[in-house]
Amino acid sequence: VDAVIRATVGVFSGAGAHVDDVIPDLRDADEVFRVTRAYDFAADYRTLVREHRDEIKDAVVWNTELGLALTVDDLLSADEARCRLASAVESYFTTHDLLVLTSAQVAPFDARLEFPREAGGVRLENYLEWMRASTIISATGCPAVSVPAGFTPDGLPVGVQLVAAPGRDVDLLLAAQAFEELTGHHRRRPVL
């Protein structure tokens, strides 16, 4: 996955873009995502979990219980983290048009697995961690799109996630379209 994403540098620089390895400070994104998701699950599913726990997927119960366990301090801390994250993102996009990163840290995995248990030698503790590249961007509120970036040596597709500043949705879609036209990866279908 890493090698495929690194190869996108050549696509963007070949198209005339200035490419660097600067990223915004996203350290508050995990807290913002975790608390917001837990709160939303509690708001949406608390009654179902309380009344039909045995009939509900474990991951939904887990997320809902996280939300029900939130404290006022957790909510206040997440609001403060959201403000810091918004400031970091705003600062980043004063000097950059796009943030380019992977859509997921792992290659596609067997659909019978709830989630892979490891990525890059790091143990994944829960199902949200395998898609952390997407969850941290969700926390920013920035528009994002994933497009095919290439394939693993086994022929599995890898996506690149393009992220733009809030309100720059059209520019983001144009960049995604240009990337697809330059690479043609979207035309190739993996062999199943």
Side-chain angles (χ1 to χ4, degrees):
V1 170
D2 186 56
V4 172
I5 299 305
R6 289 186 185 282
T8 66
V9 169
V11 175
F12 286 106
S13 60
H18 168 74
V19 179
D20 62 35
D21 60 359
V22 175
I23 61 169
D25 181 352
L26 298 172
R27 76 182 117 189
D28 286 309
D30 287 317
E31 178 182 4
V32 171
F33 181 82
R34 180 183 49 78
V35 171
T36 301
R37 182 179 176 88
Y39 179 87
D40 289 346
F41 266 77
D44 292 342
Y45 302 116
R46 69 185 179 280
T47 302
L48 283 172
V49 168
R50 288 175 177 154
E51 295 176 3
H52 305 282
R53 177 186 208 86
D54 296 345
E55 301 171 46
I56 298 174
K57 185 177 178 179
D58 290 343
V60 174
V61 172
W62 174 72
N63 274 283
T64 303
E65 288 179 340
L66 287 176
L68 293 171
L70 290 172
T71 66
V72 171
D73 286 338
D74 293 331
L75 297 173
L76 293 172
S77 178
D79 279 344
E80 292 165 354
R82 186 176 288 106
C83 290
R84 289 189 303 270
L85 181 60
S87 177
V89 166
E90 181 180 349
S91 176
Y92 177 82
F93 283 115
T94 62
T95 58
H96 293 82
D97 295 319
L98 286 177
L99 172 62
V100 179
L101 65 157
T102 187
S103 296
Q105 299 87 264
V106 297
F109 51 90
D110 189 318
R112 293 171 291 194
L113 296 176
E114 184 175 12
F115 63 93
R117 303 297 175 175
E118 180 183 299
V122 176
R123 179 159 170 70
L124 303 177
E125 297 299 324
N126 61 64
Y127 80 96
L128 294 175
E129 290 181 349
W130 77 268
M131 56 181 159
R132 187 168 175 254
S134 296
T135 64
I136 60 174
I137 296 305
S138 292
T140 68
C142 291
V145 62
S146 293
V147 295
F151 297 84
T152 67
D154 295 334
L156 297 172
V158 175
V160 63
Q161 183 177 194
L162 308 178
V163 184
R168 303 291 304 269
D169 302 59
V170 172
D171 295 333
L172 174 65
L173 292 173
L174 290 171
Q177 180 183 18
F179 183 83
E180 284 189 332
E181 289 174 0
L182 289 167
T183 64
H185 295 309
H186 65 291
R187 291 186 190 95
R188 180 175 164 193
R189 301 288 185 258
V191 177
L192 300 176

